[in-house]
Amino acid sequence: MRRADVRRLQAALATVAVGVAAGVVLQDPQPAAAVGAATGYATQNGGTTGGAGGQTVRASTGTAIHAALCGRASSSTPITIEVTGTINHGNTSKVSGSSCNTADGVIELKQISNVTIIGVGSGAVFDQLGIHLRDSSNIIIQNVTVRNVKKSGSPTSNGGDAIGMESTVRNVWVDHVTLEASGGESEGYDGLFDMKDNTQYVTLSYSVLRNSGRGGLIGSSESDLSNGFVTFHHNLYENIDSRTPLLRGGIAHIYNNHYVSLHESGINSRAGARAKVENNYFRNSKDVLGTFYTNERGYWQVSGNTFDNVTWSSAGSENYPAGPNPTSNTTVSIPYAYRLDAASCVPDVVRQTAGANTGLRVSDGSCSPQTPPPTTAAPTTAPPTTAPPTTPPPTSGTNLSLGAGADGSSKASGTSYGNVRDGDIGTWWSPAGSTGSISIKWGSATRVSRVIIREPSGTQGSIGSWQLVNHDTGAVLASGSGAGVITFSATALSKITFKINSSSGTPRVGEFETYAS
């Protein structure tokens, strides 16, 4: 046997030995990954397929999960990890390897892509042990329970978050999970489902979040506005003090959720955030929608919701409830197809479908739960940010940018301000650094109420937080994160500026389209 072949065989045997010692069982490659298919914003930006098309591994310890990640050929090699039993501090240790970056005391999905973690058998419980995503993409977590994760006391894990995401995370689908605590911050717990520091294109569906002071946040502070494009649907929020979710900047689509016993506040849209809130059922709760604990206002579009025994506080400084008769103060365009259940049947549908170990049933949009078939997907070997772009929906009317002027704060070598108004997505403007501004201008006041920012192929998701500014007056027309459709109150102006405040990599604007309606 040649020396190179011997070395490869020795390496393979070492990987198997680590896996066996850790409690991991290797299985033949499987074409199917998660059950069903991603929904909501997780379908955008190239889609979310997790470990589809890769090897399937079964794990009964946290160390085995880490060993499976570290045993891959690369950090982007697709893998499905089937989890059974109880995962806790006693069986979760760091495993080293070139395809992973793990740690003790937490399930660490760091600097990796194309992974599915799915509970099988009699169930998978992460007991006092959180799941942490950092600098990762194309991740699916399905059919697991995460409970009693603490940030203080003993033992601690993941900063007290059941599932936490931070630092350039893209395309995550969390589905049919149960996230629960046993109290609030004074008892040592933090959030159940947190996203911060440039986390985008996430869906939380058919899940249960309960018995916690904090449901979850999008953005860790009023300056962390690089997060967004998050969908919440068919979830149960029960016995929660606040943050269902707290949304700072960005866009959220919140539909067909059941909210029960929200004690202090519910959906908290602030710092320029925009939430589309439709066909939800709120019961026995207080201040279920609005801007709370800040004067940095957020916005919402509401329709079809049911408010059953909901109480509202009086408006005042740092307290802006949407009720008692919530009305829309913005519009939000949704780029994907979805089916709405009537709000009246949401409690029953969510009761039958949400959470781990409920048969992975879903709604068909007519209040009738059903079990989806396994989904077969083509292998994915690269993060979804390199996949073909998802083009924002077309807007009726004339693109007013065509024939207008353009300028900006700076431009990278080889780019042009005029490339954003030439009708060609294949040409673009980039700032000289990671931030900058680009403007469309006219010779006289022009009425504008809608903007579409389009990124060229292969660069989707590079634009982080932004502001859209009336250059004539300096007024901020809208703010958020990521490219796409931006709507605001119709404004007559001679120059409109798209200001990029943060980015991942080099941001590129292919087209800066403007419309009167």
Side-chain angles (χ1 to χ4, degrees):
M1 183 179 291
R2 292 178 300 175
R3 184 175 300 173
D5 294 332
V6 171
R7 286 197 297 267
R8 282 194 292 267
L9 178 59
Q10 288 172 336
L13 290 173
T15 298
V16 171
V18 169
V20 171
V24 60
V25 178
L26 302 179
Q27 299 178 336
D28 292 333
Q30 301 288 328
V35 176
T39 56
Y41 273 114
T43 65
Q44 305 297 286
N45 191 44
T48 304
T49 56
Q55 187 179 46
T56 297
V57 172
R58 182 161 293 191
S60 58
T61 69
T63 305
I65 294 173
H66 286 162
L69 296 172
C70 296
R72 297 184 295 164
S74 73
S75 61
S76 62
T77 301
I79 190 170
T80 294
I81 304 174
E82 297 180 339
V83 182
T84 183
T86 299
I87 312 300
N88 55 35
H89 284 262
N91 62 32
T92 302
S93 299
K94 173 183 175 68
V95 177
S96 298
S98 60
S99 61
C100 64
N101 189 348
T102 67
D104 292 331
V106 63
I107 299 301
E108 188 75 274
L109 307 180
K110 184 177 181 180
Q111 298 168 343
I112 62 174
S113 60
N114 308 326
V115 174
T116 294
I117 294 177
I118 181 170
V120 297
S122 59
V125 176
F126 295 79
D127 186 27
Q128 302 183 76
L129 195 80
I131 301 175
H132 182 222
L133 285 71
R134 184 181 180 92
D135 299 306
S136 295
S137 62
N138 196 24
I139 307 294
I140 295 174
I141 301 172
Q142 191 175 47
N143 200 39
V144 302
T145 295
V146 187
R147 67 188 184 195
N148 294 332
V149 180
K150 286 191 170 184
K151 68 175 182 178
S152 62
S154 180
T156 61
S157 178
N158 198 28
D161 297 335
I163 296 179
M165 292 165 265
E166 63 178 313
S167 185
T168 317
V169 173
R170 292 289 186 275
N171 290 84
V172 179
W173 179 36
V174 179
D175 176 66
H176 284 92
V177 303
T178 297
L179 309 177
E180 55 190 6
S182 296
E185 188 174 21
S186 61
E187 287 77 31
Y189 305 99
D190 196 11
L192 295 176
F193 195 71
D194 279 12
M195 292 159 275
K196 56 189 178 182
D197 191 16
N198 198 17
T199 295
Q200 297 179 4
Y201 301 105
V202 177
T203 294
L204 176 66
S205 57
Y206 297 101
S207 295
V208 173
L209 297 87
R210 63 187 173 206
N211 303 336
S212 176
R214 297 168 172 173
L217 58 76
I218 304 172
S220 59
S221 69
E222 306 296 73
S223 61
D224 182 14
L225 304 178
S226 59
N227 312 280
F229 305 114
V230 182
T231 301
F232 302 85
H233 74 90
H234 293 92
N235 302 300
L236 170 65
Y237 286 84
E238 182 177 24
N239 191 28
I240 304 285
D241 287 341
S242 63
R243 301 187 180 181
T244 67
L246 186 159
L247 175 65
R248 292 179 169 113
I251 293 174
H253 186 199
I254 302 170
Y255 72 93
N256 282 157
N257 301 287
H258 188 202
Y259 301 88
V260 184
S261 299
L262 308 183
H263 305 301
E264 297 174 8
S265 62
I267 300 167
N268 185 352
S269 179
R270 54 200 278 186
R274 294 186 295 141
K276 188 165 188 173
V277 182
E278 52 184 345
N279 289 36
N280 301 283
Y281 196 105
F282 302 91
R283 187 177 69 186
N284 299 340
S285 297
K286 176 187 176 185
D287 283 345
V288 298
L289 174 65
T291 295
F292 307 105
Y293 322 120
T294 181
N295 288 320
E296 298 292 325
R297 304 287 291 271
Y299 308 96
W300 44 84
Q301 180 181 352
V302 293
S303 64
N305 301 289
T306 294
F307 302 94
D308 179 3
N309 193 32
V310 170
T311 59
W312 302 89
S313 62
S314 300
S317 178
E318 297 191 344
N319 192 68
Y320 305 96
N325 297 302
T327 57
S328 301
N329 56 19
T330 191
T331 58
V332 180
S333 297
I334 302 301
Y336 51 81
Y338 61 101
R339 293 182 176 180
L340 283 170
D341 287 307
S344 60
C345 72
V346 162
D348 189 54
V349 167
V350 169
R351 177 184 59 81
Q352 296 183 65
T353 59
N357 305 316
T358 55
L360 296 172
R361 285 178 292 178
V362 299
S363 173
D364 63 359
S366 61
C367 302
S368 178
Q370 58 183 347
T371 301
T375 298
T376 300
T380 299
T381 57
T385 52
T386 63
T390 298
T391 302
T395 299
S396 59
T398 300
N399 177 10
L400 303 174
S401 298
L402 299 176
D407 60 25
S409 59
S410 66
K411 56 183 176 181
S413 176
T415 72
S416 169
Y417 302 128
N419 287 342
V420 304
R421 54 168 180 77
D422 61 0
D424 182 1
I425 194 67
T427 63
W428 61 84
W429 161 86
S430 288
S434 60
T435 62
S437 59
I438 182 73
S439 301
I440 297 295
K441 57 186 180 180
W442 300 270
S444 59
T446 301
R447 186 177 178 85
V448 180
S449 67
R450 183 177 299 238
V451 162
I452 298 180
I453 301 297
R454 299 184 188 270
E455 297 175 285
S457 176
T459 67
Q460 286 71 33
S462 63
I463 296 175
S465 62
W466 50 261
Q467 290 178 312
L468 190 67
V469 178
N470 179 345
H471 192 86
D472 300 350
T473 65
V476 176
L477 301 171
S479 61
S481 60
V485 180
I486 307 168
T487 58
F488 49 93
S489 299
T491 304
L493 42 75
S494 61
K495 185 174 180 179
I496 187 168
T497 299
F498 183 70
K499 182 179 180 182
I500 300 174
N501 296 317
S502 69
S503 64
S504 57
T506 303
R508 295 179 178 181
V509 176
E511 288 297 298
F512 182 168
E513 301 175 6
T514 53
Y515 297 88
S517 61

